[in-house]
């Protein structure tokens, strides 16, 4: 065993500027390694993972998928836990928690409400969501620091007080930071962002959750997850030419649709895996959130080992080599579904508009757009975001841009670049990629989410103007990027975005079509080629990490009672022990209703720490089936139409409970728990839909709401916005037992339908206590 003193020597070397990489010194020859930015007592414990896997393997007596190995390897009680894919709830012990600044505000406010002195597992906060794209990286970052000073101070001081690491604004996007520092083969990490699965590119089980789930883990409570099914995606052949890792997930999204992965982990395997870079695998896992998957994962291989080494973690790779049999699937393991993709035959894809699963080959999109009446002229091309902002991504885009410049061309469309992290920004500046992308007409934005999440002060169009943009992002829901419902957003790879931005039209296919150079001669772009990783070491750039002090008990956390951005939480009311009688219907939603529809982002991000203020965006994007309009619902008490939040507040003031009726896959998209907190805060009690997205359903349960589904989906048509609803049988509320709903029509007639739920016993206790946080406090009081 190597003395822990090595760690302090290493830390001294860091502080002395010898090498400011986030390296992981070995503390134990076998199974424990201190990781980047970890405290001295943080370890990778493969021996425990191995022990748990062996217990479960003996119990199940069958080969295990990689997903099962890592998930079951983190069971709180592997010897006794009931395990059945798609049915039982697992109690798990994740290794760490990560939170982006928009969701961290509410997560930390909830943790403060818990009364606990310090987090029980390694946790970090990442400032990436509150920086608006406007003028360019440096100016936008300075502006964000000024505008968001109160929030950043709250997060920094809360992190210091409760033992949470703090990545300052400008450090980069949470998922890229996790890949560079915290993800590793076999880790289980939860993050308060739906694209946390990005870490699967390094062989980890990384799952997006709401803030209340993060609080459970930070409090040292076992975390619940319904035992996921496993969908296998077998990759054969090799990527080449214009085809990129992004095209794999764009193809899978077209096959499975936005809800096809719900309740499942997508596990990639097969010989084709080895032709994909580590950051390419991360891109594929990242966008698995768009098909509703719990997470996605790749098996440990040489590409991961190479990336670990380049990011200063060669010792972790060496350790992973020792335990590799637990970091790949067993031979003969069984998947619930198998999809096979031949990478040698896969063509470049572009998905959209308005939904990330509408897949088209790039070769077809121009004709399809003309047929559908979509604008073919591209107003803006945007590359980067958490999905595609790696060194390789930037290199391939620069390779395309360099060819255009050689022929005297620049982008016909506006063009923006978002580096994924400070490390990526500094390295592409050093290696000339950023210079090439600027010369072709690009604007380098801050290391942040920016336009991908609606943080875009767009000036080139007016709201309501029909236009097309192409991005390398992951989501393209209506109005997501710029709040304009008429923006047709298409998702594709960074190199295709770059080529299309140079051409300025969706009708250009870089595989076959020619451009005309400044000299009047025609030329064809060659397929881009770029280094997977920099030949030199990564340039770490500026140091943007704040370590939590060993003892933060003396740290003061400021939350002003008059603040418009932060608000301490009051506990939700407990269930009164009665059935929910004669609830009004706030809105019956028609069609797609994502968390963007329920709790919009963009300009509303500034209120993520103030529940009452942000509740003014409740369901303002959802379409009311009664009139086909957004943010216009009938007040059943006054018969006047008005905004959804105002109507909800009126009902709350009058002491009237209300429900929401939704369609398929209600709550898809972001993990934002505000979409569950807001209806609870404004007096909602029940959300009834045909089906739910996984994270949103859990978030609703955590806040004491009842997410219920129609036993017969056709019953959606029996409920009208003017009806009243009663949920009866709550005194006998039990796992697996449907609830009865009585529909009371205005003419005095009634209908009874059955509603299903997925509550287990502990989740029913959340409902009865008023929220999971209330229940946590009850248990603390009993134990003390």
């Amino acid at each position: 065993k190597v003395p822990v003193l090595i760690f302090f020597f290493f830390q001294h070397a860091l502080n002395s500027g010898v090498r400011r990489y986030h390296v992981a010194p070995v503390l134990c020859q076998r199974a424990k390694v201190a990781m980047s930015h970890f405290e001295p007592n943080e370890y990778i414990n493969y021996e425990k993972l191995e022990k748990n896997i062996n217990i479960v393997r003996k119990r199940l007596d069958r080969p295990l998928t990689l997903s099962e190995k890592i998930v079951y390897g983190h069971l709180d009680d592997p010897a006794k836990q009931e395990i059945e894919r798609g049915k039982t709830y697992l109690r798990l012990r994740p290794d760490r928690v990560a939170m982006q600044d928009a969701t961290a505000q509410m997560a930390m406010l909830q943790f403060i409400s818990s009364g606990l002195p310090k987090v029980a597992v390694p946790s970090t906060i990442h400032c990436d969501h509150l920086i608006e794209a406007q003028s360019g990286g440096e100016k936008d970052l300075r502006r964000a620091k000024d505008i968001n000073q109160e929030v950043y101070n709250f997060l920094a001081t809360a992190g210091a007080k409760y033992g949470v690491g703090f990545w300052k604004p400008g450090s980069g996007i949470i998922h890229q930071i996790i890949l560079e520092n915290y993800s590793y083969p076999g880790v289980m990490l939860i993050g308060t962002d739906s694209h946390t699965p990005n870490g699967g590119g390094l062989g980890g089980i990384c799952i997006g959750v709401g803030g209340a789930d993060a609080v459970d883990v930070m409090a040292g409570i076992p975390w619940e997850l319904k035992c996921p099914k496993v969908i296998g995606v077998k990759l054969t052949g090799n990527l080449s030419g214009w085809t990129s890792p992004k095209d794999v997930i764009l193809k899978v999204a077209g096959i499975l649709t936005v809800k096809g992965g719900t309740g499942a982990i997508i596990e990639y395997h097969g010989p084709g895996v080895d032709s994909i870079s580590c950051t390419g695998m991360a891109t594929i896992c990242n966008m698995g959130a768009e098909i509703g998957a719990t997470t996605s994962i790749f098996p440990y291989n040489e590409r991961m080992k190479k990336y670990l080494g380049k990011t200063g973690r060669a010792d972790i790779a060496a350790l992973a080599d020792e335990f590799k049999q637990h970091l790949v699937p067993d031979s003969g393991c069984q998947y619930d579904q198998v999809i096979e993709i031949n990478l040698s035959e896969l063509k470049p894809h572009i998905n959209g508009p308005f939904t990330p699963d509408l897949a088209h080959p790039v070769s077809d999109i121009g004709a399809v757009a003309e047929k559908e009446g979509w604008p073919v002229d591209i107003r803006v091309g945007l590359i980067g975001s958490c999905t595609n902002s790696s060194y390789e991504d930037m290199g391939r885009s620069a390779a395309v841009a360099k060819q255009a410049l050689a022929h005297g061309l620049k982008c016909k469309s506006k063009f923006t670049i978002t580096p994924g992290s400070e490390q990526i920004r500094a390295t592409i500046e050093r290696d000339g990629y950023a210079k090439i992308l600027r010369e072709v007409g690009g604007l380098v934005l801050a290391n942040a989410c920016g336009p991908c999440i609606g943080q875009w002060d767009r000036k080139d169009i007016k709201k309501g103007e029909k236009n097309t943009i192409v991005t390398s992002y992951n989501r393209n829901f209506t109005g997501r990027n710029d709040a304009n419902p008429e923006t047709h957003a298409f998702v594709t790879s960074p190199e295709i975005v770059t080529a299309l931005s140079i051409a300025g039209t969706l009708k250009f296919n870089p595989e076959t079509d020619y451009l005309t150079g400044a000299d009047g001669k025609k030329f064809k772009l060659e397929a881009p080629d770029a280094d997977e990783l920099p030949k030199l070491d990564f340039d770490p750039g500026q140091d943007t990490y704040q370590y939590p002090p060993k003892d933060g008990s003396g740290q003061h956390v400021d939350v002003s009672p008059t603040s418009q951005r932060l608000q301490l939480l009051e506990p939700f009311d407990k269930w009164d022990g009665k059935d929910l009688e004669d609830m009004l219907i706030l809105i019956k939603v028609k069609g797609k209703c994502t968390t963007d529809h329920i709790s919009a982002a963009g300009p509303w991000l500034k209120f993520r720490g103030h529940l009452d203020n942000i509740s003014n965006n409740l369901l303002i994007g959802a379409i009311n089936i009664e009139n086909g309009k957004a943010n216009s619902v009938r007040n059943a008490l006054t018969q006047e139409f008005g905004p959804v939040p105002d109507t909800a507040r009126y009902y709350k003031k009058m002491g009237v409970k209300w429900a929401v009726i939704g369609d398929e896959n209600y709550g898809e998209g972001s993990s934002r728990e505000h979409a569950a907190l807001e209806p609870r805060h404004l007096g909602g009690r029940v959300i009834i839909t045909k089906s739910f997205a996984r994270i949103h359903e859990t978030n609703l349960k955590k806040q004491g709401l009842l997410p219920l589904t129609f036993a017969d989906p056709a019953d959606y048509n029996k409920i009208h916005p003017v009806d009243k609803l009663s949920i009866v049988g709550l005194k006998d509320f039990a796992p697996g037992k449907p609830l009865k709903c009585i529909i009371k029509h205005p003419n005095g007639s009634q209908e009874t339908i059955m509603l299903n739920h997925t509550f287990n016993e502990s989740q029913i206790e959340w409902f009865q206590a008023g929220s999971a946080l209330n229940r946590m406090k009850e248990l603390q009081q009993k134990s003390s």
Side-chain angles (χ1 to χ4, degrees):
K1 293 186 178 179
V2 183
V4 177
L5 286 172
I6 287 180
F7 177 89
F8 297 105
F9 172 81
F10 171 76
Q11 192 173 48
H12 174 73
L14 282 180
N15 295 334
S16 301
V18 175
R19 181 178 179 182
R20 199 177 52 73
Y21 278 124
H22 311 139
V23 189
V26 177
L27 298 186
C28 174
Q29 294 174 353
R30 287 287 294 168
K32 295 182 180 179
V33 176
M35 289 187 63
S36 337
H37 290 305
F38 275 27
E39 296 305 298
N41 62 344
E42 297 180 42
Y43 305 104
I44 298 174
N45 196 335
Y46 280 136
E47 289 178 342
K48 182 178 179 181
L49 185 74
E50 180 177 59
K51 179 181 177 182
N52 287 357
I53 290 171
N54 289 338
I55 291 171
V56 173
R57 190 195 306 279
K58 186 176 180 180
R59 286 181 55 201
L60 298 182
D61 192 27
R62 61 172 174 80
L64 300 176
T65 65
L66 170 59
S67 307
E68 290 180 306
K69 288 181 180 182
I70 302 177
V71 172
Y72 304 160
H74 285 84
L75 284 169
D76 183 50
D77 186 358
K80 297 178 181 178
Q81 170 73 65
E82 188 179 356
I83 300 170
E84 186 175 357
R85 285 187 197 169
K87 293 188 178 181
T88 59
Y89 279 88
L90 306 178
R91 291 167 63 82
L92 301 163
R93 292 284 185 179
D95 297 302
R96 69 179 299 119
V97 174
M99 300 166 280
Q100 41 95 334
D101 50 356
T103 51
Q105 295 171 63
M106 196 57 66
M108 292 308 295
L109 285 166
Q110 290 178 85
F111 188 82
I112 291 169
S113 296
S114 75
L116 296 169
K118 192 172 184 179
V119 296
V121 301
S123 305
T124 48
I125 294 168
H126 303 257
C127 294
D128 63 356
H129 269 56
L130 301 179
I131 303 169
E132 184 180 48
Q134 191 180 70
S135 305
E138 291 185 12
K139 290 182 180 179
D140 293 345
L141 180 57
R142 285 199 301 270
R143 179 169 172 265
K145 287 180 178 178
D146 180 52
I147 292 172
N148 302 308
Q149 182 180 10
E150 179 186 15
V151 172
Y152 291 147
N153 178 63
F154 165 73
L155 293 173
T157 55
K161 184 173 183 65
Y162 297 105
V164 179
F166 180 69
W167 288 87
K168 302 172 187 177
S171 58
I173 304 172
I174 177 173
H175 314 301
Q176 183 65 30
I177 297 293
I178 288 172
L179 199 73
E180 293 173 354
N181 295 276
Y182 300 126
S183 185
Y184 61 86
V187 71
M188 174 171 277
L189 179 151
I190 67 165
T192 60
D193 190 283
S194 56
H195 293 106
T196 302
N198 191 81
L202 257 178
I205 289 290
C206 303
I207 302 176
V209 299
D213 277 340
V215 171
D216 279 355
V217 178
M218 290 191 293
I221 297 172
W223 172 60
E224 281 195 346
L225 176 72
K226 180 176 275 191
C227 187
K229 295 183 178 180
V230 187
I231 297 174
V233 179
K234 184 178 181 181
L235 302 179
T236 60
N238 294 281
L239 287 178
S240 62
W242 283 92
T243 306
S244 72
K246 186 67 164 276
D247 297 307
V248 177
I249 186 58
L250 294 178
K251 178 71 173 179
V252 172
I255 295 169
L256 288 177
T257 77
V258 290
K259 62 177 183 177
T262 302
I265 294 176
I266 312 299
E267 183 172 312
Y268 293 86
H269 62 283
V273 166
D274 292 335
S275 73
I276 305 173
S277 67
C278 179
T279 53
M281 290 186 263
T283 290
I284 294 167
C285 291
N286 177 299
M287 204 173 155
E290 273 42 82
I291 54 177
T294 301
T295 191
S296 301
I297 191 169
F298 278 82
Y300 177 61
N301 67 0
E302 287 297 314
R303 306 298 280 267
M304 293 183 192
K305 182 176 182 178
K306 186 176 180 181
Y307 183 81
L308 286 168
K310 205 66 173 179
T311 51
R313 295 173 287 172
D315 46 359
I316 297 176
L319 198 59
D321 284 342
E322 288 188 50
F323 290 85
K324 185 174 181 178
Q325 72 272 25
H326 302 303
L327 305 175
V328 296
D330 287 341
S331 177
C333 66
Q334 296 297 307
Y335 297 100
D336 294 283
Q337 178 183 349
V338 176
I339 297 167
E340 186 164 340
I341 296 175
N342 185 337
L343 300 179
S344 299
E345 297 174 357
L346 183 63
K347 303 298 287 183
H349 272 61
I350 183 168
N351 288 20
F354 306 124
T355 184
D357 60 345
L358 186 57
H360 321 273
V362 171
S363 57
D364 297 346
I365 190 62
V368 173
E370 287 188 322
K371 179 182 176 182
E372 297 293 336
W374 304 332
V376 296
D377 291 337
I378 298 167
R379 296 294 290 269
V380 190
L382 306 100
I383 66 168
S385 91
C386 68
T387 322
N388 278 110
S389 54
S390 69
Y391 184 82
E392 181 183 38
D393 289 327
M394 296 297 163
R396 284 174 69 87
S397 291
V400 174
K402 190 174 182 179
Q403 295 178 61
L405 290 169
H407 290 84
L409 295 186
K410 292 190 175 184
C411 291
K412 289 185 178 179
S413 310
K414 291 182 180 295
F415 185 49
T416 70
I417 301 98
T418 305
S421 69
E422 169 63 8
Q423 179 168 271
I424 295 297
R425 183 208 62 79
T427 307
I428 66 172
E429 289 286 0
R430 181 197 68 193
D431 292 353
Y433 291 165
K435 181 175 184 289
I436 293 169
L437 294 171
R438 286 193 189 96
E439 287 176 350
V440 85
L443 174 67
V444 179
L445 301 175
N447 315 321
C449 299
C452 182
I453 59 163
Q455 284 284 48
W456 185 14
D457 185 19
R458 190 176 181 190
K459 302 292 189 184
D460 64 301
I461 60 160
K462 295 179 180 179
K463 190 168 183 178
E465 183 179 343
K466 197 173 180 180
N467 74 104
T468 283
I469 65 174
V470 292
T471 82
S472 70
Y473 303 164
N474 40 43
R475 290 199 175 130
N476 57 349
F477 302 138
T478 303
R480 176 171 173 88
N481 302 123
D482 60 3
N484 179 14
E486 289 300 323
T487 293
H488 293 56
F490 295 85
V491 176
T492 186
S493 68
E495 51 266 49
I496 293 293
V497 170
T498 307
L500 293 178
S501 298
I502 292 165
T505 175
L506 288 177
K507 297 171 70 175
F508 178 71
N509 177 9
E511 288 192 303
T512 58
D513 296 343
Y514 286 78
L515 295 168
T516 302
D519 59 3
K521 296 181 180 179
K522 293 186 178 296
F523 71 97
K524 192 157 77 77
L525 294 170
E526 295 180 2
D529 186 31
D531 291 331
E532 174 182 348
L533 295 164
K535 290 184 173 64
L536 302 174
D537 286 339
F538 276 110
D539 184 337
Q542 300 178 42
D543 190 359
T544 54
Y545 182 71
Q546 172 186 296
Y547 286 88
K550 289 183 178 180
D551 181 7
S553 58
Q555 176 71 54
H556 181 68
V557 180
D558 289 323
V559 179
S560 169
T562 60
S563 173
Q564 293 300 301
R565 299 200 58 179
L566 297 166
Q567 180 186 48
L568 293 174
L569 297 174
E570 295 291 333
F572 290 131
D573 59 307
K574 294 180 65 172
W575 175 55
D576 61 9
K578 301 176 182 178
D579 288 336
L580 296 168
E581 298 279 358
D582 293 333
M583 290 181 295
L584 299 179
I585 296 170
L586 178 65
I587 183 173
K588 182 179 179 182
V589 179
K590 178 183 178 181
K592 184 186 283 286
C593 190
T594 71
T595 48
D596 282 289
H597 294 89
I598 304 168
S599 176
W604 292 95
L605 283 169
K606 61 179 173 286
F607 297 125
R608 285 285 182 87
H610 197 293
L611 180 54
D612 194 56
N613 281 347
I614 199 169
S615 292
N616 289 321
N617 76 2
L618 174 65
L619 286 159
I620 61 175
I623 301 301
N624 179 9
I625 200 169
E626 187 174 6
N627 57 12
K629 296 180 180 180
N631 203 25
S632 175
V633 295
R634 183 195 301 271
N635 185 319
L637 301 181
T638 67
Q639 296 304 309
E640 296 177 353
F641 278 85
V644 182
D646 293 358
T647 306
R649 287 186 186 278
Y650 187 85
Y651 291 162
K652 182 180 181 180
K653 179 182 176 182
M654 301 304 292
V656 177
K657 297 179 176 66
W658 50 263
V660 169
I661 310 302
D663 212 316
E664 293 276 7
N665 206 33
Y666 183 88
E668 71 173 277
S670 170
S671 69
R672 68 191 65 154
E673 66 178 341
H674 298 77
L677 283 159
E678 291 174 34
R680 183 71 165 97
H681 175 63
L682 294 185
R685 286 294 183 268
V686 180
I687 313 292
I688 306 170
T689 72
K690 294 179 183 177
S691 62
F692 285 98
R694 174 191 64 85
I695 300 176
H696 186 60
E697 182 182 27
T698 300
N699 287 345
L700 291 168
K701 291 177 181 178
K702 287 277 186 177
Q703 302 307 333
L705 283 150
L706 284 176
L708 306 172
T709 56
F710 296 103
D712 180 356
D715 287 343
Y716 170 87
N717 299 315
K718 293 180 178 179
I719 299 178
H720 305 286
V722 293
D723 294 336
K724 292 183 179 180
L725 304 178
S726 295
I727 306 297
V728 298
L730 288 175
K731 290 183 179 179
D732 300 317
F733 192 13
K737 184 179 180 180
L739 291 169
K740 186 182 296 183
C741 176
I742 300 172
I743 308 168
K744 299 179 181 180
H745 301 299
N747 63 6
S749 64
Q750 295 186 5
E751 294 181 77
T752 299
I753 62 174
M754 301 306 295
L755 301 174
N756 294 330
H757 66 85
T758 61
F759 281 80
N760 61 24
E761 290 181 359
S762 62
Q763 292 170 348
I764 291 172
E765 291 174 352
W766 300 344
F767 167 74
Q768 293 169 340
S771 71
L773 189 57
N774 288 357
R775 181 57 179 158
M776 181 195 299
K777 289 182 178 179
E778 288 178 354
L779 293 173
Q780 286 175 6
Q781 291 168 359
K782 288 180 181 179
S783 64
S784 61

